[in-house]
Amino acid sequence: IEDSDELSGLDEFFTNNNSDVLILDKWNLQQDYLDALKEQVKNLIVINDYGGLNLKDIFVINVNDGFVYEYEVHNLSCLGLSYVIISDDLIRYRDSKGKISEVVKTVVVSMGGSDPNKLTGKVIEFLNECGGHYRIIVILGPRYRYVDEINKICSRSGHNIEIISDPGDIGGVFA
């Protein structure tokens, strides 16, 4: 497990503080890390769309409407657009830029960690049909599986498209 120091620190925290719940919002989550956490805490809540991971017995918050998991998730999970959580990095960026332009010049397409419904490609194809000329920044998450397909869609586009895979700092993409 690559985050063994973090895990041992969490084990100490749970032991010393009698904690029962951990809310996890971590990029590039790995199954072995998740399994180790499940051994340390009674209730685990995961925020995001880790489609390839076994999230059985884990409470999931995922804004992707209609997301299909490869494994069963907790029956009380919060799934869909009603549960949107916006990163502080994005809010700070928005607040630092002041007024939003009335003319769209740049479009950012980001569908989360895996995008199993291939919405990224559908959005780009929609933008291709809209006319105009945009700078499009496509952000692909750590579990995105359709890179070749996205590259083909982008190569057919008349827009200036930049593809960024698994950025460490999502706010830094906008700086």
Side-chain angles (χ1 to χ4, degrees):
I1 297 174
E2 63 188 54
D3 294 328
S4 60
D5 290 340
E6 182 177 317
L7 285 172
S8 63
L10 285 172
D11 189 36
E12 181 180 329
F13 176 83
F14 290 127
T15 302
N16 294 338
N17 293 291
N18 196 27
S19 297
D20 292 331
V21 177
L22 174 65
I23 300 172
L24 183 66
D25 185 6
K26 179 177 174 60
W27 278 79
N28 207 9
L29 188 62
Q30 302 298 317
Q31 188 70 52
D32 58 349
Y33 180 83
L34 184 64
D35 292 340
L37 285 175
K38 287 189 331 187
E39 292 176 12
Q40 294 181 9
V41 64
K42 292 178 187 175
N43 299 294
L44 184 57
I45 299 172
V46 174
I47 300 173
N48 218 317
D49 58 347
Y50 303 105
L53 299 179
N54 184 350
L55 300 173
K56 187 175 183 335
D57 301 324
I58 297 174
F59 189 91
V60 178
I61 301 172
N62 182 0
V63 301
N64 285 338
D65 203 18
F67 188 85
V68 177
Y69 286 90
E70 292 179 26
Y71 299 96
E72 179 183 349
V73 297
H74 193 285
N75 62 347
L76 296 177
S77 294
C78 297
L79 307 175
L81 297 175
S82 297
Y83 304 99
V84 170
I85 299 171
I86 306 272
S87 166
D88 286 343
D89 291 339
L90 298 178
I91 291 171
R92 278 192 297 275
Y93 174 78
R94 179 203 63 194
D95 293 345
S96 72
K97 295 298 178 183
K99 183 182 175 196
I100 296 173
S101 174
E102 292 183 24
V103 177
V104 175
K105 297 176 185 172
T106 302
V107 176
V108 176
V109 179
S110 177
M111 297 296 172
S114 60
D115 188 15
N117 296 319
K118 302 181 182 183
L119 297 176
T120 302
K122 292 174 184 175
V123 170
I124 295 168
E125 288 172 340
F126 173 78
L127 291 170
N128 288 341
E129 295 172 9
C130 285
H133 184 76
Y134 307 107
R135 175 178 179 235
I136 300 174
I137 301 171
V138 177
I139 302 173
L140 304 177
R143 300 206 186 286
Y144 189 80
R145 298 179 183 161
Y146 312 105
V147 175
D148 290 339
E149 189 174 323
I150 279 297
N151 285 331
K152 287 178 187 174
I153 292 169
C154 291
S155 71
R156 294 189 305 257
S157 177
H159 301 293
N160 177 16
I161 299 179
E162 176 184 1
I163 299 174
I164 301 172
S165 293
D166 192 17
D169 172 22
I170 193 91
V173 171
F174 301 98

